[in-house]
Amino acid sequence: LQLTGPCSLTDGGSCAASPNYPNSDEECSIIGVPPVGLETVAFEVDLESSCRFDYLTVNGVKYCGFSGPNGVVAEDGVIEWRSDVVDVRKGWKICWATRPPSP
């Protein structure tokens, strides 16, 4: 996996989370995501009808609001994140492999 920008890998590298939560005005990419269905563990970003401000992109589709790319396979192996400085929300956590059980 390769990261550009301040995204963070979690859960032993099987998940990624929005960077610097709860800060905003961020851009990052996760490259090399395996071709498996994504698991949306948490997703709360700015909701706007055309996803212009805060959005996660997988396969050219923008996700915003409260509905992430659950079950979607990142065909090109890339997840991209973009946020602005207005209306900061909790952020997101996306996984692409079975996570180890919580202690």
Side-chain angles (χ1 to χ4, degrees):
L1 288 170
Q2 177 184 356
L3 300 177
T4 63
C7 292
S8 61
L9 292 176
T10 66
D11 299 77
S14 62
C15 300
S18 51
N20 301 321
Y21 166 78
N23 296 334
S24 57
D25 197 22
E26 303 166 326
E27 283 187 51
C28 66
S29 298
I30 303 110
I31 301 163
V33 176
V36 297
L38 298 174
E39 177 190 358
T40 303
V41 176
F43 200 86
E44 184 182 332
V45 304
D46 191 10
L47 176 60
E48 195 272 330
S49 62
S50 61
C51 296
R52 292 184 300 166
F53 305 114
D54 297 356
Y55 54 87
L56 190 77
T57 305
V58 181
N59 301 329
V61 176
K62 291 181 179 179
Y63 296 87
C64 63
F66 302 94
S67 182
N70 204 48
V72 173
V73 174
E75 300 293 342
D76 60 0
V78 178
I79 298 172
E80 296 178 307
W81 166 245
R82 172 76 178 106
S83 68
D84 66 6
V85 297
V86 181
D87 200 16
V88 176
R89 302 287 181 157
K90 290 183 178 181
W92 54 267
K93 180 177 177 179
I94 304 290
C95 297
W96 45 83
T98 304
R99 290 178 291 136
S102 298

